Amino acid sequence: MSVFWSSLLWFLAGGLVGAAISFYFTKRSFEKQLRDNPPINEKMIRAMYMQMGRKPTEAQIKQVMRAMNSAAGPSGKSKSKK
């Protein structure tokens, strides 16, 4: 095998290994961010309403949660669904 093809093969192998390592650490970092800063939940919505000086009804909270989940798109999964 010529030197060119050998070096090209090593370059591609190194790129694949680098991409895999990069994917792993990026995924780990993203999951840590979600753990430290969770997405908005019903408790946060209730607190926002109270800061505005309003006592929210359960229907208003559910409506805001539905709006947030629909804005997230098809991958916006909610853990409160039964």
Side-chain angles (χ1 to χ4, degrees):
M1 191 185 291
S2 71
V3 175
F4 172 76
W5 291 111
S6 177
S7 60
L8 182 65
L9 183 65
W10 280 109
F11 178 76
L12 290 176
L16 288 174
V17 169
I21 291 171
S22 178
F23 174 78
Y24 172 74
F25 283 110
T26 302
K27 182 180 175 198
R28 232 176 84 186
S29 172
F30 184 73
E31 288 172 348
K32 182 182 182 300
Q33 287 291 329
L34 280 178
R35 264 194 321 273
D36 294 346
N37 306 309
I40 195 163
N41 59 20
E42 293 176 6
K43 190 175 179 181
M44 292 178 184
I45 293 170
R46 203 170 274 117
M48 285 189 292
Y49 269 99
M50 296 301 271
Q51 286 177 350
M52 291 187 292
R54 297 178 58 190
K55 175 108 171 80
T57 64
E58 198 62 33
Q60 288 172 329
I61 292 172
K62 294 294 181 188
Q63 180 184 11
V64 172
M65 285 300 291
R66 276 194 307 273
M68 295 292 284
N69 288 336
S70 68
S75 64
K77 296 177 184 173
S78 174
K79 292 182 181 178
S80 63
K81 288 185 181 178
K82 293 182 181 177

